[in-house]
Amino acid sequence: MKTKIITYIYAFSFIFIWNAFLYKIILHFLINLKFIPADICYVIINIIPFIIFFEVVGKIIFLSTISSKLKFVPAHLESLSQIDIKTFNYYTNALESLGFSRISDLELSESSLTVARIFSHPKHFCFAEVIQTPGRSPVFCAIGSDLEKEWSVSFRDNSPNHAIVYAFLRRPKGIIVVKQGVTPEELLRSHLKFRQKIMRDLNLQLLPDISIEAYFDQSQRARTRLRKALLRKSVIMGLLEMNLFAFKSEVQKSEWLGDYARLSAKKG
């Protein structure tokens, strides 16, 4: 309801200001440029408000689906409906055999309920998450590490990047790699190997705090950076990227390296 009210206020305010002032000022400016034909000036002046309106309203709608503050609620997964407990237990046994310690079961309620079982590794200083959004995604495992200077690395075994995620929710320093169908052991091995490489290439240090408080804090920081990135993102360019996503290779769809590829190439 709040988002709808803000959108309506913006729409009426923009229409009033555009018709009363901006239309004549911008049209006069374009015509005085001389090198643009008058017919083209009128086409441009009629397109501009639609572009501006679409960009602002689109961002309001997107931001309304991504709350500024994450809310973590302790959960008892066995009592929840539609939860694949068998797969959760498989991952739990596999991760604990690799040295991970289970630290919490959580519910994250936003537009839909997501549940997660959180683990930490006292030797490798990384987190593991077993996640499910009932009715929308299967259970998958993610192993993540937080590095200094706002970098993070997440390796996942069954969470392909969808077009809308790629276009609007990726971050320059948030690396995501999907290794479809690998075992937790292979996922951990790949994660540690890549983590060591990026730390060496970019001269980064690992953040060793693996407490549940650190997990909450880093998750909230990532959410804040995500919203900031979305504010800077053009909605029109994002929609174009969504349409072009289908033409990307399977490798391009399964990994997002952000600024790492450019920075490592520059150093090399």
Short mmCIF file of all heavy atoms in Angstrom, two decimals, residues 46-80:
data_model
loop_
_atom_site.label_atom_id
_atom_site.label_comp_id
_atom_site.label_asym_id
_atom_site.label_seq_id
_atom_site.Cartn_x
_atom_site.Cartn_y
_atom_site.Cartn_z
N ASN A 46 8.35 14.11 -26.55
CA ASN A 46 7.22 13.26 -26.16
C ASN A 46 7.66 11.90 -25.61
O ASN A 46 6.89 11.23 -24.91
CB ASN A 46 6.28 13.06 -27.35
CG ASN A 46 5.43 14.29 -27.65
OD1 ASN A 46 4.67 14.74 -26.79
ND2 ASN A 46 5.56 14.85 -28.83
N ILE A 47 8.88 11.49 -25.93
CA ILE A 47 9.41 10.22 -25.42
C ILE A 47 10.02 10.39 -24.03
O ILE A 47 9.90 9.50 -23.18
CB ILE A 47 10.46 9.65 -26.40
CG1 ILE A 47 9.77 9.19 -27.69
CG2 ILE A 47 11.22 8.48 -25.77
CD1 ILE A 47 10.74 8.69 -28.74
N ILE A 48 10.67 11.52 -23.80
CA ILE A 48 11.39 11.75 -22.54
C ILE A 48 10.55 11.47 -21.30
O ILE A 48 11.00 10.76 -20.38
CB ILE A 48 11.97 13.18 -22.50
CG1 ILE A 48 13.16 13.30 -23.45
CG2 ILE A 48 12.40 13.56 -21.08
CD1 ILE A 48 13.73 14.70 -23.56
N PRO A 49 9.32 12.01 -21.18
CA PRO A 49 8.56 11.75 -19.94
C PRO A 49 8.25 10.29 -19.70
O PRO A 49 8.23 9.83 -18.55
CB PRO A 49 7.27 12.57 -20.15
CG PRO A 49 7.17 12.78 -21.62
CD PRO A 49 8.59 12.88 -22.09
N PHE A 50 8.03 9.53 -20.78
CA PHE A 50 7.75 8.10 -20.61
C PHE A 50 8.98 7.37 -20.08
O PHE A 50 8.86 6.48 -19.23
CB PHE A 50 7.31 7.49 -21.95
CG PHE A 50 5.94 7.92 -22.38
CD1 PHE A 50 5.78 8.91 -23.34
CD2 PHE A 50 4.80 7.35 -21.81
CE1 PHE A 50 4.52 9.31 -23.73
CE2 PHE A 50 3.53 7.75 -22.20
CZ PHE A 50 3.38 8.74 -23.16
N ILE A 51 10.16 7.75 -20.59
CA ILE A 51 11.40 7.12 -20.12
C ILE A 51 11.64 7.43 -18.65
O ILE A 51 11.93 6.54 -17.83
CB ILE A 51 12.61 7.59 -20.97
CG1 ILE A 51 12.46 7.08 -22.41
CG2 ILE A 51 13.92 7.11 -20.36
CD1 ILE A 51 13.54 7.57 -23.35
N ILE A 52 11.54 8.72 -18.29
CA ILE A 52 11.76 9.12 -16.90
C ILE A 52 10.75 8.46 -15.97
O ILE A 52 11.09 7.92 -14.91
CB ILE A 52 11.70 10.65 -16.77
CG1 ILE A 52 12.83 11.30 -17.57
CG2 ILE A 52 11.79 11.07 -15.29
CD1 ILE A 52 12.77 12.82 -17.61
N PHE A 53 9.49 8.50 -16.37
CA PHE A 53 8.43 7.91 -15.55
C PHE A 53 8.67 6.41 -15.36
O PHE A 53 8.57 5.89 -14.24
CB PHE A 53 7.07 8.15 -16.22
CG PHE A 53 5.91 7.64 -15.42
CD1 PHE A 53 5.37 8.40 -14.38
CD2 PHE A 53 5.34 6.41 -15.69
CE1 PHE A 53 4.30 7.93 -13.65
CE2 PHE A 53 4.26 5.94 -14.96
CZ PHE A 53 3.74 6.71 -13.94
N PHE A 54 9.02 5.73 -16.43
CA PHE A 54 9.24 4.29 -16.39
C PHE A 54 10.42 3.95 -15.49
O PHE A 54 10.36 3.00 -14.69
CB PHE A 54 9.47 3.76 -17.80
CG PHE A 54 9.49 2.26 -17.89
CD1 PHE A 54 8.32 1.53 -17.79
CD2 PHE A 54 10.69 1.58 -18.07
CE1 PHE A 54 8.33 0.15 -17.86
CE2 PHE A 54 10.71 0.20 -18.15
CZ PHE A 54 9.53 -0.52 -18.05
N GLU A 55 11.50 4.72 -15.58
CA GLU A 55 12.69 4.47 -14.77
C GLU A 55 12.38 4.62 -13.28
O GLU A 55 12.74 3.76 -12.48
CB GLU A 55 13.81 5.44 -15.16
CG GLU A 55 14.49 5.14 -16.49
CD GLU A 55 15.45 3.98 -16.39
OE1 GLU A 55 15.84 3.59 -15.27
OE2 GLU A 55 15.82 3.43 -17.45
N VAL A 56 11.71 5.70 -12.92
CA VAL A 56 11.46 5.97 -11.51
C VAL A 56 10.44 4.99 -10.93
O VAL A 56 10.66 4.40 -9.87
CB VAL A 56 10.99 7.43 -11.30
CG1 VAL A 56 10.63 7.67 -9.84
CG2 VAL A 56 12.08 8.38 -11.74
N VAL A 57 9.32 4.80 -11.62
CA VAL A 57 8.29 3.89 -11.12
C VAL A 57 8.82 2.46 -11.06
O VAL A 57 8.56 1.72 -10.11
CB VAL A 57 7.03 3.96 -12.00
CG1 VAL A 57 6.03 2.88 -11.60
CG2 VAL A 57 6.38 5.33 -11.88
N GLY A 58 9.59 2.07 -12.09
CA GLY A 58 10.18 0.73 -12.10
C GLY A 58 11.07 0.50 -10.91
O GLY A 58 11.04 -0.57 -10.27
N LYS A 59 11.88 1.51 -10.54
CA LYS A 59 12.77 1.35 -9.40
C LYS A 59 11.99 1.29 -8.10
O LYS A 59 12.35 0.53 -7.18
CB LYS A 59 13.78 2.50 -9.37
CG LYS A 59 14.88 2.35 -10.41
CD LYS A 59 15.94 3.39 -10.27
CE LYS A 59 17.00 3.18 -11.35
NZ LYS A 59 18.08 4.18 -11.28
N ILE A 60 10.94 2.09 -8.00
CA ILE A 60 10.11 2.04 -6.79
C ILE A 60 9.53 0.64 -6.60
O ILE A 60 9.52 0.08 -5.50
CB ILE A 60 8.99 3.09 -6.86
CG1 ILE A 60 9.57 4.50 -6.76
CG2 ILE A 60 7.97 2.87 -5.74
CD1 ILE A 60 8.55 5.60 -6.98
N ILE A 61 9.05 0.06 -7.69
CA ILE A 61 8.45 -1.28 -7.62
C ILE A 61 9.50 -2.32 -7.25
O ILE A 61 9.26 -3.18 -6.39
CB ILE A 61 7.78 -1.63 -8.96
CG1 ILE A 61 6.57 -0.72 -9.19
CG2 ILE A 61 7.35 -3.10 -8.98
CD1 ILE A 61 5.94 -0.86 -10.56
N PHE A 62 10.67 -2.26 -7.90
CA PHE A 62 11.73 -3.23 -7.60
C PHE A 62 12.18 -3.10 -6.14
O PHE A 62 12.34 -4.11 -5.44
CB PHE A 62 12.93 -3.02 -8.52
CG PHE A 62 12.81 -3.77 -9.82
CD1 PHE A 62 12.84 -3.10 -11.03
CD2 PHE A 62 12.67 -5.14 -9.84
CE1 PHE A 62 12.73 -3.78 -12.23
CE2 PHE A 62 12.56 -5.84 -11.03
CZ PHE A 62 12.58 -5.15 -12.23
N LEU A 63 12.40 -1.88 -5.68
CA LEU A 63 12.89 -1.67 -4.31
C LEU A 63 11.85 -2.12 -3.28
O LEU A 63 12.21 -2.53 -2.17
CB LEU A 63 13.24 -0.20 -4.09
CG LEU A 63 14.52 0.27 -4.78
CD1 LEU A 63 14.66 1.79 -4.68
CD2 LEU A 63 15.75 -0.40 -4.18
N SER A 64 10.57 -2.05 -3.64
CA SER A 64 9.53 -2.48 -2.71
C SER A 64 9.56 -3.98 -2.47
O SER A 64 9.05 -4.48 -1.46
CB SER A 64 8.15 -2.07 -3.23
OG SER A 64 7.79 -2.84 -4.37
N THR A 65 10.16 -4.74 -3.39
CA THR A 65 10.26 -6.20 -3.23
C THR A 65 11.52 -6.61 -2.48
O THR A 65 11.68 -7.77 -2.14
CB THR A 65 10.25 -6.89 -4.61
OG1 THR A 65 11.43 -6.52 -5.35
CG2 THR A 65 9.02 -6.50 -5.41
N ILE A 66 12.43 -5.64 -2.24
CA ILE A 66 13.68 -5.93 -1.53
C ILE A 66 13.73 -5.02 -0.32
O ILE A 66 14.14 -3.86 -0.41
CB ILE A 66 14.91 -5.68 -2.43
CG1 ILE A 66 14.80 -6.48 -3.73
CG2 ILE A 66 16.19 -6.05 -1.70
CD1 ILE A 66 15.89 -6.18 -4.72
N SER A 67 13.32 -5.51 0.82
CA SER A 67 13.26 -4.69 2.02
C SER A 67 14.65 -4.22 2.43
O SER A 67 15.65 -4.91 2.18
CB SER A 67 12.61 -5.47 3.17
OG SER A 67 13.36 -6.64 3.45
N SER A 68 14.71 -3.06 3.04
CA SER A 68 16.00 -2.49 3.43
C SER A 68 16.64 -3.26 4.59
O SER A 68 17.85 -3.26 4.74
CB SER A 68 15.84 -1.02 3.81
OG SER A 68 14.90 -0.88 4.87
N LYS A 69 15.80 -3.90 5.42
CA LYS A 69 16.33 -4.65 6.56
C LYS A 69 15.86 -6.09 6.51
O LYS A 69 14.68 -6.37 6.38
CB LYS A 69 15.90 -4.00 7.87
CG LYS A 69 16.57 -2.65 8.11
CD LYS A 69 16.55 -2.29 9.57
CE LYS A 69 17.37 -1.03 9.81
NZ LYS A 69 17.45 -0.69 11.24
N LEU A 70 16.83 -6.98 6.63
CA LEU A 70 16.52 -8.40 6.67
C LEU A 70 16.00 -8.79 8.05
O LEU A 70 16.47 -8.26 9.06
CB LEU A 70 17.77 -9.23 6.35
CG LEU A 70 18.21 -9.26 4.88
CD1 LEU A 70 19.60 -9.87 4.78
CD2 LEU A 70 17.24 -10.06 4.05
N LYS A 71 15.05 -9.69 8.08
CA LYS A 71 14.53 -10.20 9.35
C LYS A 71 14.74 -11.71 9.41
O LYS A 71 14.20 -12.44 8.60
CB LYS A 71 13.04 -9.85 9.49
CG LYS A 71 12.77 -8.36 9.62
CD LYS A 71 11.29 -8.09 9.81
CE LYS A 71 11.02 -6.60 9.94
NZ LYS A 71 9.57 -6.31 10.10
N PHE A 72 15.55 -12.12 10.36
CA PHE A 72 15.82 -13.54 10.55
C PHE A 72 15.03 -14.03 11.76
O PHE A 72 15.13 -13.46 12.86
CB PHE A 72 17.30 -13.78 10.78
CG PHE A 72 18.17 -13.43 9.59
CD1 PHE A 72 18.88 -12.23 9.55
CD2 PHE A 72 18.26 -14.29 8.52
CE1 PHE A 72 19.67 -11.91 8.47
CE2 PHE A 72 19.06 -13.98 7.42
CZ PHE A 72 19.76 -12.78 7.40
N VAL A 73 14.27 -15.08 11.56
CA VAL A 73 13.45 -15.65 12.64
C VAL A 73 13.87 -17.10 12.85
O VAL A 73 13.93 -17.88 11.89
CB VAL A 73 11.95 -15.59 12.28
CG1 VAL A 73 11.11 -16.18 13.39
CG2 VAL A 73 11.53 -14.16 11.98
N PRO A 74 14.19 -17.49 14.08
CA PRO A 74 14.52 -18.89 14.34
C PRO A 74 13.39 -19.82 13.87
O PRO A 74 12.21 -19.50 14.03
CB PRO A 74 14.69 -18.94 15.87
CG PRO A 74 15.04 -17.54 16.24
CD PRO A 74 14.28 -16.67 15.30
N ALA A 75 13.78 -20.95 13.28
CA ALA A 75 12.77 -21.84 12.69
C ALA A 75 12.97 -23.27 13.17
O ALA A 75 14.08 -23.67 13.55
CB ALA A 75 12.87 -21.80 11.16
N HIS A 76 11.89 -24.01 13.14
CA HIS A 76 11.93 -25.45 13.39
C HIS A 76 11.46 -26.10 12.10
O HIS A 76 10.25 -26.22 11.86
CB HIS A 76 11.03 -25.81 14.57
CG HIS A 76 11.14 -27.25 14.97
ND1 HIS A 76 10.20 -28.20 14.62
CD2 HIS A 76 12.11 -27.90 15.67
CE1 HIS A 76 10.58 -29.38 15.08
NE2 HIS A 76 11.72 -29.22 15.73
N LEU A 77 12.40 -26.50 11.25
CA LEU A 77 12.08 -26.91 9.90
C LEU A 77 11.13 -28.11 9.86
O LEU A 77 10.28 -28.21 8.97
CB LEU A 77 13.36 -27.25 9.13
CG LEU A 77 14.37 -26.10 8.96
CD1 LEU A 77 15.47 -26.51 8.00
CD2 LEU A 77 13.70 -24.83 8.49
N GLU A 78 11.28 -29.02 10.82
CA GLU A 78 10.45 -30.23 10.81
C GLU A 78 8.96 -29.91 10.95
O GLU A 78 8.10 -30.70 10.55
CB GLU A 78 10.88 -31.18 11.92
CG GLU A 78 12.21 -31.88 11.68
CD GLU A 78 13.42 -30.99 11.94
OE1 GLU A 78 13.22 -29.84 12.38
OE2 GLU A 78 14.55 -31.44 11.71
N SER A 79 8.64 -28.75 11.50
CA SER A 79 7.24 -28.40 11.73
C SER A 79 6.63 -27.59 10.58
O SER A 79 5.43 -27.30 10.59
CB SER A 79 7.09 -27.60 13.03
OG SER A 79 7.75 -26.34 12.91
N LEU A 80 7.44 -27.23 9.60
CA LEU A 80 6.96 -26.42 8.49
C LEU A 80 6.49 -27.31 7.34
O LEU A 80 7.08 -28.36 7.06
CB LEU A 80 8.06 -25.49 7.99
CG LEU A 80 8.56 -24.44 9.00
CD1 LEU A 80 9.73 -23.67 8.43
CD2 LEU A 80 7.44 -23.50 9.39
#
